[in-house]
Amino acid sequence: MKELVVISGKGGAGKTSIVASFAALAKNKVMADCDVDAADLHLLLEPHIRHREEFRSGKSAVIDAECCTQCGKCREVCRYQAISEDYVVDKIACEGCGVCVHFCPEQAIELRENLSGEWFISDTRFGTLVHAKLGIAEENSGKLVALVRQNAKLLAQEDGSDLILADGAPGIGCPVISSITGASAVLVVTEPTLSGIHDMKRVVDLAGHFQIPTFICVNKFDINEQLTAQVETFCQQRRLKLMGRIPYDTVVTKAMVQGKTVVEYSSGLVAKEIEKLWRQISYALAGD
Amino acid sequence: MIIAIASGKGGTGKTTLATNLAMNLARKGQQVQLLDCDVEEPNCHLFLKPIIETTETVSLPVPQVDEQKCTGCGQCGQICEFSAIVCIKEKVLTFPELCHGCGGCTLVCPEGAICETPREIGVIEQGRADEIQFVHGRLRVGEAMSPPLIREVKERVSHQGTSIIDAPPGTSCPVIEAIRGSDICILVTEPTPFGLNDLVLAVGMVRALELPHAVIINRADVGDRKVVEYCRQEGIDLLMEIPDDRRIARGYSRGQLILDVAPEYEDKFQMLMDKIETMSASEEVKA
Ligand code: SF4
Ligand code: SF4
Ligand code: SF4
Ligand code: SF4
């Protein structure tokens, strides 16, 4: 079984629209949305939730005002200024380190687990989707992402699927590390803008750091062909496979407004290029 | 005044807005600072091209154990909530990448066997872009701890004139770290189903933090009108709509400010600033 994770570093490059089209094209797969902070894939796949579970992670300190003698020890040891002058813990600032709990002479503090999100297994018109929603202001430590991938993998094994198709997390921090470690390959979707290229280089380094085979695709390549050429040069230098060049077209937004993937909505140039991209990628994945 | 610019999802035009707003103020001779808190993917420098004057490394204090003094009592491992220090068969192992730098193990060690050493998580660079005081953080590639670096960037808020913060995308910890304590948070979105979905999450976030907030729609004519309807229903001020404009898109791809490719925006950004000031003044009255 192969696992392809699509990432982009920067948002807005068109990653999710491309993943959704792949979802329509790929056969016998399980899909995973690892962008648990700002998940969008479900908007195009219309999932019917078949199973949901709470996600608990991280802890926060809670002070029992009855037992507290206001001795001030906890405020002294807390490095995150999470305890107010009147001895109330600011849940958002609290790191959950438990140092105050240990040093409170009155045992007035306890650590409580946070309910920090939910995750789901859903049916969609393209097959099974595992997705999640992190609660607001929660730590995106990558644990929920790991849980989504783990469950996608279990389901793929049960169903005898050949592929896990994952919409990766943005950025280069914990969540994206969690979404790519151990994957068969990553596809980096970039756009020919200075910031797009800047962020692409950072995620390419990251994938390199974990020694994951990396493919590149330039979306909206015709908005600046000079910069597209720069991406091509970069790929040659790094010996990365440039898998596709997709033109800019408002059809992508139009399809999105209709809640459809581009390949369902249109048979124009963008849809053709995405189909070609998918053929190349499945070929490369099979060859590994 | 501290203005934070955020968005539920990336790529909506947060950086565009932050940099143009800052440059417009600077060109009008006002004191302005720009802090790029999107430390995983800092982009403001690509548009402002600052001259960097100082570079500092930012570290987290992680434990270092003196084996001579350590008796293997295991108390350090017991206090650590993050499994960053463990004691197995009277031998202590540390995992610095997991350490949150809380200092618990050092405090608890009865033998004084632990001291803290810095572990680099990223750098902060400061400089000037024209008259803008520029600050950004850059997380080390492969590094997981962005909130402490963001905290350090925010320590450099000048509290004079206007400080503009470019926040990371999303609604989780790093974003909260970036926007908390600001006077107003501006949410940038696009008029598409993705844009609306992410805006609703972002509004939930600013409401949880009780931050005054308003919305700006970028590429305002590409999708549908549901974002506008949503703002009206929720009573959220819509401060500006920036239409999809080839000049802006091409300029953006090359790292140019809107102000430099579409000069009529000078007045529009000034009007935006006036609205922000009026909002923040009325917030003060409420408070
Ligand atoms: S250390 Fe315990 S008793 Fe002292 S102020 Fe804190 S909570 Fe209260
Ligand atoms: S658990 Fe840690 S961060 Fe939270 S209040 Fe206690 S000492 Fe502070
Ligand atoms: S608490 Fe101190 S003495 Fe005890 S195991 Fe840890 S380092 Fe060694
Ligand atoms: S400083 Fe805190 S997080 Fe780091 S090893 Fe010590 S107890 Fe664990």
Side-chain angles (χ1 to χ4, degrees):
Chain A
M1 192 198 342
K2 304 285 179 181
E3 184 181 16
L4 175 73
V5 184
V6 183
I7 57 175
S8 69
K10 174 180 179 296
K15 173 175 69 73
T16 301
S17 291
I18 292 179
V19 174
S21 282
F22 286 177
L25 296 167
K27 306 257 153 16
N28 197 20
K29 79 285 171 186
V30 169
M31 294 157 290
D33 191 351
C34 298
D35 189 351
V36 300
D37 190 0
D40 282 330
L41 193 57
H42 64 279
L43 297 171
L44 299 180
L45 300 187
E46 298 172 296
H48 296 281
I49 295 172
R50 110 160 88 104
H51 177 86
R52 66 197 308 154
E53 247 177 75
E54 287 182 348
F55 169 66
R56 294 183 179 274
S57 155
K59 293 176 183 166
S60 316
V62 182
I63 296 178
D64 180 350
E66 302 267 298
C67 310
C68 170
T69 59
Q70 312 221 329
C71 72
K73 186 69 189 170
C74 51
R75 278 172 53 86
E76 194 186 298
V77 296
C78 176
R79 278 200 177 160
Y80 306 93
Q81 282 103 45
I83 304 174
S84 68
E85 278 168 28
D86 44 1
Y87 300 98
V88 177
V89 178
D90 174 351
K91 208 177 156 228
I92 291 174
C94 175
E95 190 85 4
C97 67
V99 175
C100 57
V101 177
H102 183 91
F103 286 97
C104 170
E106 309 295 332
Q107 273 102 50
I109 316 180
E110 66 170 356
L111 277 185
R112 286 198 199 140
E113 241 186 2
N114 299 330
L115 172 63
S116 44
E118 260 190 307
W119 64 274
F120 321 93
I121 300 174
S122 297
D123 294 316
T124 76
R125 63 187 182 284
F126 304 126
T128 307
L129 169 71
V130 184
H131 51 135
K133 179 68 210 94
L134 191 74
I136 283 166
E138 294 297 337
E139 183 183 13
N140 194 351
S141 63
K143 282 187 200 146
L144 185 54
V145 173
L147 199 65
V148 165
R149 281 182 71 206
Q150 213 178 351
N151 280 283
K153 197 165 177 181
L154 282 174
L155 287 161
Q157 279 164 350
E158 278 171 24
D159 301 353
S161 303
D162 319 315
L163 175 73
I164 297 166
L165 177 62
D167 191 0
I172 58 158
C174 276
V176 69
I177 293 173
S178 214
S179 48
I180 66 170
T181 43
S184 318
V186 301
L187 171 67
V188 179
V189 176
T190 186
E191 58 175 27
T193 62
L194 285 183
S195 43
I197 295 178
H198 177 260
D199 296 349
M200 167 193 72
K201 288 182 177 163
R202 285 174 60 91
V203 283
V204 164
D205 285 345
L206 185 72
H209 184 86
F210 292 102
Q211 299 177 338
I212 304 167
T214 305
F215 313 135
I216 310 279
C217 151
V218 190
N219 194 15
K220 310 176 217 172
F221 81 90
D222 46 353
I223 59 173
N224 190 327
E225 306 222 13
Q226 223 176 333
L227 290 177
T228 295
Q230 268 189 34
V231 176
E232 286 163 356
T233 317
F234 172 79
C235 290
Q236 276 164 8
Q237 282 165 354
R238 295 291 197 90
R239 295 172 197 278
L240 300 168
K241 281 187 209 145
L242 184 70
M243 286 282 190
R245 292 162 30 122
I246 301 169
Y248 174 76
D249 195 325
T250 50
V251 73
V252 179
T253 308
K254 286 183 190 139
M256 191 198 291
V257 169
Q258 299 300 321
K260 293 231 162 47
T261 68
V262 181
V263 293
E264 287 172 295
Y265 181 77
S266 130
S267 51
L269 199 55
V270 173
K272 288 214 172 68
E273 287 298 329
I274 294 179
E275 283 163 19
K276 201 164 104 194
L277 172 66
W278 175 244
R279 275 198 304 276
Q280 292 220 36
I281 288 174
S282 26
Y283 187 71
L285 283 174
D288 271 348
Chain B
M1 176 165 53
I2 306 175
I3 305 170
I5 320 273
S7 68
K9 101 183 180 95
T12 54
K14 244 176 347 84
T15 301
T16 304
L17 186 72
T19 50
N20 280 285
L21 208 51
M23 189 56 90
N24 209 35
L25 286 171
R27 287 184 185 165
K28 294 204 154 42
Q30 299 192 34
Q31 189 173 2
V32 58
Q33 184 189 32
L34 184 121
L35 303 107
D36 192 345
C37 286
D38 189 357
V39 300
E40 287 186 37
E41 311 283 354
N43 277 161
C44 289
H45 65 286
L46 298 171
F47 297 88
L48 294 178
K49 306 167 186 75
I51 298 159
I52 298 299
E53 290 157 355
T54 60
T55 303
E56 303 154 75
T57 59
V58 174
S59 325
L60 274 185
V62 301
Q64 192 173 25
V65 179
D66 180 345
E67 289 184 14
Q68 303 292 318
K69 289 188 189 158
C70 172
T71 58
C73 71
Q75 292 186 43
C76 50
Q78 278 158 18
I79 196 170
C80 184
E81 277 290 327
F82 309 104
S83 312
I85 187 164
V86 290
C87 183
I88 304 164
K89 293 198 189 123
E90 300 189 359
K91 198 168 159 40
V92 176
L93 296 173
T94 60
F95 301 94
E97 328 67 66
L98 298 178
C99 173
H100 288 223
C102 72
C105 52
T106 307
L107 278 175
V108 85
C109 175
E111 309 297 331
I114 305 180
C115 64
E116 295 186 311
T117 56
R119 181 178 79 84
E120 189 183 332
I121 54 170
V123 296
I124 290 184
E125 295 175 320
Q126 300 194 68
R128 298 204 81 78
D130 291 355
E131 292 307 310
I132 302 172
Q133 199 192 331
F134 180 90
V135 188
H136 75 177
R138 219 184 248 281
L139 193 69
R140 224 169 37 100
V141 169
E143 174 57 55
M145 306 276 173
S146 65
L149 179 57
I150 296 171
R151 222 171 284 152
E152 280 293 321
V153 174
K154 288 198 54 194
E155 286 284 308
R156 284 151 183 81
V157 168
S158 68
H159 299 289
Q160 280 165 4
T162 308
S163 295
I164 297 174
I165 292 176
D166 189 6
T171 61
S172 64
C173 260
V175 192
I176 305 290
E177 199 63 61
I179 66 174
R180 61 192 307 194
S182 51
D183 298 299
I184 180 169
C185 183
I186 298 188
L187 303 172
V188 186
T189 189
E190 285 181 351
T192 62
F194 287 7
L196 177 59
N197 182 60
D198 301 335
L199 175 65
V200 173
L201 299 175
V203 167
M205 164 181 80
V206 289
R207 284 187 177 154
L209 288 173
E210 297 173 7
L211 279 182
H213 54 278
V215 168
I216 288 181
I217 305 182
N218 195 14
R219 289 186 279 270
D221 43 357
V222 298
D224 51 23
R225 299 300 288 170
K226 297 223 172 88
V227 169
V228 180
E229 275 166 39
Y230 167 79
C231 289
R232 194 180 312 129
Q233 275 165 13
E234 297 287 321
I236 301 169
D237 286 327
L238 182 58
L239 294 184
M240 188 179 191
E241 295 190 47
I242 304 175
D244 196 26
D245 180 330
R246 262 199 96 71
R247 288 175 303 165
I248 296 177
R250 286 200 64 80
Y252 174 86
S253 76
R254 290 192 291 252
Q256 286 175 310
L257 294 172
I258 298 182
L259 287 172
D260 293 335
V261 296
E264 73 273 19
Y265 274 84
E266 191 188 316
D267 291 343
K268 296 189 182 172
F269 284 119
Q270 184 54 48
M271 273 162 61
L272 172 63
M273 202 54 216
D274 294 343
K275 285 188 195 164
I276 294 173
E277 271 164 8
T278 318
M279 265 192 82
S280 106
S282 71
E283 286 297 331
E284 263 167 43
V285 173
K286 266 194 248 167

